[in-house]
Amino acid sequence: MKRLTITEGLPGAVRVPGYRRAEHGVGIVHIGLGAFHKAHQAAYTDAALAEAGGDWRITGVSLRSDAPSRELRPQDGLYTLIERDASGSRARVIGAIAAATCLRTDRQAVERALLAPGTRIVSVTVTEKGYGLDRASGGIDPEHPAIRSDLAQPSAPQGLAGLLVWALGRRRALGLPPFTVLSCDNLPENGAVLRSLLVDFARHAAPDLVDHIADDVAFPSTMVDRITPARTQATLDLAREMTGCEDEAAIETEGFHHWVIEDDFPAGRPYWEAGGAIFATDVRPYEAMKLRMLNGAHSMLAYAGFAAGHRYVRDVMADATLSRLVSRHLRAAAATLLPLPGVDLSAYAAQLEERFRNPHLAHETFQIAMDGSEKMPQRIFAAIPDARAKGADTRPFAFATAAWLRHLSGSCHDCAPYDLRDPRGDTLRAMTQGRQAADVVSAVRGITLMPQAVAEDEAFWDQVTPILHDMLTRPMTEVISQEAA
């Protein structure tokens, strides 16, 4: 069977790029060439090129793994995006990626892309842990492996902060204007966070660039939303069935997608409105809604669901008892938010539950549970002071926190052993493994990722401790049933 290399001759039901790819140059470098970028920003850019044209195709960059470039290069950057929801499955071939590279294996190609005069945007999806962020200071974490390496060798960076500071410095030396840096990761005020990170890195590695980065480089914030599970062999099999081609780079995602962007692009941008993007002057209310409701509920159901034996999110939602706790969490998260014009939070919660139930998406609870130390602050902890201020119920957040702590402990009294995948895994496991609930709570209240207001909230931890005790000593299914009663 032929490899997916051209779009001619594909079945009529398969959508193909509505433009001649060779007629459009590269204007975007994207760092973090994973499934989410292919399902989200690249798909929006594909729609923008079809409707409004422009030199906005993408050079994709992976920092470490060369798997994405090995998959995409033989296919000239083409891949199948399969959208799946209750109405069925639809295949779309995306043509927005012009080249796929890997910093670890092809540094020169990455450098050429970042320094190309036509590069006007560098977008980022490296997940929270890829930033090397010290949450307490808002700057770099000097113990983060990539930060530590790049401070030692700033001329040959391996991580995000080092690479972007290096590229901005080289462009300035060459007389080229700076590119816009566009974070698309799940961080509150992600644009401002990334600016602070780069400014702090520059203070240590390139002091002459501090003012340039702070004053001359645009860092618009964004809110991104599209559930994209890890690809499986079933994904590749479905792509073959739908397109009649072998596609090693195929991915699947839900039909729903949402992108809210702060409109601050001095060097221009694609017409992302063609894909449904919303441009706003203030993205923060949308970020809070998504992080606390979708992502917060996701984390809660992942930790509780995994321990209760549910492999996929759809399995969690098929568990009537646990799905009631998902509904409860969504209501509690919504109660912490300010009103958002044009948004019905109750309707949004109902839509989220429908998305979680999507029978076609194999979104693993263990995958969502990874890197919890990077996710819990904005998904769960940030909501607690607002709930307190409004006199709202904090019990759902206590349950989610206890479930996270139980996951950190590695307790397998009622489930199979598992690996803890977290950038702070060794430290957190040492704080929680084999300890009583009260001792675990005492230890984690002092870690740097815990906001001070939450760490000092005695009433909240008085809720967490007995829930955690039950989770460490009883089957999770029993704890869930008791909690939902």
Side-chain angles (χ1 to χ4, degrees), residues 102-293:
C102 175
L103 180 65
R104 183 180 59 82
T105 59
D106 196 358
R107 178 176 293 274
Q108 288 186 344
V110 175
E111 292 179 353
R112 283 196 300 271
L114 289 168
L115 301 182
T119 296
R120 289 178 278 171
I121 296 172
V122 173
S123 52
V124 177
T125 51
V126 296
T127 73
E128 297 92 331
K129 68 179 178 181
Y131 282 64
L133 179 70
D134 180 344
R135 294 188 180 279
S137 68
I140 59 172
D141 176 2
E143 298 305 314
H144 187 277
I147 296 291
R148 188 168 61 244
S149 172
D150 291 353
L151 288 175
Q153 288 188 297
S155 62
Q158 301 177 32
L160 176 69
L163 184 62
L164 290 177
V165 169
W166 175 88
L168 288 166
R170 290 291 297 135
R171 289 182 73 92
R172 188 186 192 197
L174 293 168
L176 296 171
F179 42 67
T180 296
V181 183
L182 183 67
S183 172
C184 300
D185 282 304
N186 281 319
L187 289 165
E189 301 183 63
N190 51 19
V193 165
L194 193 46
R195 173 188 276 116
S196 295
L197 183 75
L198 297 198
V199 167
D200 194 39
F201 185 91
R203 286 195 187 102
H204 291 80
D208 58 313
L209 291 177
V210 169
D211 290 342
H212 175 59
I213 293 171
D215 299 335
D216 303 331
V217 182
F219 292 83
S221 289
T222 68
M223 185 278 279
V224 296
D225 187 0
R226 192 170 212 186
I227 296 172
T228 305
R231 183 180 59 209
T232 66
Q233 183 59 46
T235 309
L236 304 183
D237 294 342
L238 182 57
R240 184 188 311 112
E241 177 185 333
M242 298 180 79
T243 66
C245 299
E246 296 286 351
D247 182 358
E248 297 297 325
I251 59 167
E252 60 181 300
T253 187
E254 63 176 338
F256 178 90
H257 54 87
H258 196 192
W259 197 9
V260 182
I261 311 169
E262 182 183 0
D263 202 354
D264 182 16
F265 293 83
R269 61 170 176 81
Y271 185 64
W272 281 316
E273 292 94 333
I278 298 170
F279 286 86
T281 56
D282 188 358
V283 175
R284 289 174 296 178
Y286 297 93
E287 290 174 342
M289 178 185 75
K290 191 253 183 174
L291 285 166
R292 295 186 187 184
M293 294 184 70

Side-chain angles (χ1 to χ4, degrees), residues 7-22:
T7 57
E8 289 80 3
L10 296 181
V14 178
R15 287 178 58 194
V16 299
Y19 54 94
R20 294 183 181 275
R21 300 171 74 218

Side-chain angles (χ1 to χ4, degrees), residues 358-371:
N358 189 336
H360 299 291
L361 291 187
H363 202 180
E364 294 195 4
T365 53
F366 186 65
Q367 178 193 2
I368 299 168
M370 292 167 54
D371 306 327

Side-chain angles (χ1 to χ4, degrees), residues 388-402:
R388 270 288 172 249
K390 294 186 174 188
D393 187 13
T394 59
R395 177 84 183 188
F397 307 118
F399 182 83
T401 301

